[in-house]
Amino acid sequence: MAAVFVGIPLYWWAFPPRLPIGTANGIYANACCGSLRLRNGELTFGKDQRVSYVVEHDKVGRYILPAEYVGVTGGKLIFSDRSKNQMYLRLDDSAIPETIELDGGTVTYEFRREGNGS
């Protein structure tokens, strides 16, 4: 019985449950670099670039974890790069996220929700 009380929390710690994929659905934009569209596990940006993602959480909060690195380069362009490590795209703490943060090297860019992405 003790193994159950120890084993289940250890399992949840090692393999945290994923959040519903639609949690972050929407269109998010930033004046510098355009917009991101998140729809049921597919992140679309630029000239029809597509990257799959999952929605997860940690002690800091919820985040998008793309299948490859997604960031901003030169303060102008959203890009993806399979040769770089994936980075968390942080969501704000509201029930329906209003912002996503993207890495830009020395600057973090905040993308604000503009639509629901349907």
Side-chain angles (χ1 to χ4, degrees):
M1 194 64 156
V4 171
F5 288 112
V6 173
I8 290 176
L10 281 175
Y11 177 81
W12 284 333
W13 176 79
F15 305 101
R18 291 204 164 132
L19 296 172
I21 200 74
T23 301
N25 283 357
I27 298 171
Y28 301 82
N30 183 302
C32 80
C33 0
S35 63
L36 303 166
R37 179 181 175 171
L38 282 77
R39 185 80 179 142
N40 299 328
E42 184 175 76
L43 169 62
T44 308
F45 56 93
K47 295 188 181 201
D48 203 31
Q49 292 181 311
R50 298 172 189 274
V51 176
S52 63
Y53 70 86
V54 294
V55 180
E56 297 187 348
H57 62 86
D58 59 14
K59 292 178 185 176
V60 177
R62 294 182 297 162
Y63 59 88
I64 302 295
L65 183 60
E68 58 193 69
Y69 176 87
V70 175
V72 175
T73 183
K76 298 179 188 174
L77 184 65
I78 304 168
F79 76 106
S80 64
D81 187 343
R82 291 175 194 242
S83 68
K84 290 186 171 187
N85 291 332
Q86 304 157 290
M87 301 236 350
Y88 297 164
L89 308 182
R90 287 282 172 196
L91 299 168
D92 68 4
D93 205 23
S94 60
I96 298 174
E98 292 298 320
T99 62
I100 296 177
E101 294 179 349
L102 258 75
D103 177 56
T106 57
V107 178
T108 299
Y109 293 90
E110 185 175 88
F111 287 70
R112 296 201 156 277
R113 178 184 288 277
E114 288 193 333
N116 65 8
S118 11

